[in-house]
Amino acid sequence: MNNLPDFMKYKDTFSTHGFVEKISRIAKRAGVKLVYAALILFYTLENEKVSIKDKAIIIGALGYLISPLDVIPDAIPIAGLGDDLAVLIYVLHKVWGEVSEEVKAKARAKLNTWFDADEIIAAEDIFKDDPNTNPI
């Protein structure tokens, strides 16, 4: 993970509207795990118990996701969203202790918008109890 782009420079790119629009547009192409990770981070922002520092890195990661100017353009098949997923997973590792069961449930419920039940099952293993032992 030491080859991650400097996603924090994208924090000013983040907006709720931009996030919702981007996720809606790329959901099927991005895959259930990327969308689930993004939704978990997005809903974690709503938790007032999450530190300002953690919110800042979440906003940086989500800004990177919605930015049209990231390291590998999203239009490039497969690789284009790979850097986005790497950033999201990196940040999930950092803030996993702040992610509530309610946030996970809300994110899973939202997945029903774009994915069928069989696809959603694949997102369930995004992390088991310890994100360090069972990453995507």
Side-chain angles (χ1 to χ4, degrees):
M1 288 272 184
N2 55 357
N3 293 333
L4 283 176
D6 180 14
F7 63 89
M8 288 306 295
K9 68 182 182 182
Y10 294 89
K11 66 185 182 316
D12 294 333
T13 306
F14 176 77
S15 71
T16 298
H17 173 76
F19 174 78
V20 171
E21 188 277 327
K22 175 84 176 221
I23 284 294
S24 297
R25 189 168 35 86
I26 68 164
K28 280 304 240 184
R29 183 169 52 97
V32 68
K33 289 183 180 184
L34 183 143
V35 173
Y36 186 45
L39 289 170
I40 287 172
L41 292 173
F42 180 72
Y43 293 135
T44 297
L45 283 176
E46 297 173 348
N47 184 343
E48 58 198 40
K49 295 178 183 175
V50 175
S51 73
I52 297 295
K53 178 183 164 230
D54 285 347
K55 285 185 178 187
I57 65 170
I58 291 170
I59 288 170
L62 295 178
Y64 184 80
L65 173 67
I66 67 175
S67 174
L69 303 173
D70 57 18
V71 173
I72 304 172
D74 295 343
I76 298 173
I78 301 170
L81 292 168
D83 61 321
D84 297 294
L85 182 58
V87 166
L88 295 176
I89 295 303
Y90 174 79
V91 173
L92 269 178
H93 278 281
K94 294 285 189 196
V95 303
W96 191 249
E98 304 287 338
V99 177
S100 69
E101 289 303 315
E102 179 183 326
V103 162
K104 293 177 209 172
K106 192 172 180 179
R108 281 191 301 270
K110 186 65 176 172
L111 289 176
N112 289 315
T113 303
W114 303 289
F115 302 98
D116 62 34
D118 291 340
E119 291 171 307
I120 292 172
I121 290 170
E124 292 298 320
D125 69 348
I126 192 168
F127 294 123
K128 295 294 183 193
D129 295 329
D130 180 356
N132 295 317
T133 61
N134 195 13
I136 291 178

